[in-house]
Amino acid sequence: MLAYIVAGLIMGTLAWYLKHEPGDPRMATQMIFGVVGAVVGGVGLNLILGEDLMAVDPWGFAGAALVALIVLGLLQANVGRRSSGAPGAPDRS
């Protein structure tokens, strides 16, 4: 489990450093989302493969990193969509 948490922290930090613009989520937010995605991905893959929940193998670690990247990508995609009153934003009514 600790390996999945570390993978999520690394993915969240890398995502922040690689794409950091004004208006993006803070580093702590991305790290938290990375950890949640990594734990869900690692434990979920362990359940699918029939492994112990706390087992760390290469497939579980890769699954943790992949799901963390997907969650972080969704977080980045939704950041720009919540600007309802921004100048130049289309009217959604």
Side-chain angles (χ1 to χ4, degrees), residues 8-85:
L9 289 173
I10 291 171
M11 291 297 155
T13 304
L14 282 175
W16 188 80
Y17 277 119
L18 292 175
K19 187 184 181 300
H20 175 67
E21 298 173 356
D24 283 347
R26 295 183 306 159
M27 183 180 202
T29 304
Q30 289 194 357
M31 290 172 72
I32 290 170
F33 274 84
V35 167
V36 169
V39 168
V40 168
V43 171
L45 194 60
N46 282 343
L47 285 174
I48 290 171
L49 296 176
E51 301 282 333
D52 183 29
L53 286 180
M54 301 302 168
V56 178
D57 58 350
W59 287 108
F61 194 79
L66 181 67
V67 174
L69 285 176
I70 291 170
V71 168
L72 289 167
L74 291 173
L75 176 67
Q76 285 290 331
N78 284 331
V79 166
R81 295 180 188 246
R82 64 182 170 156
S83 58
S84 59

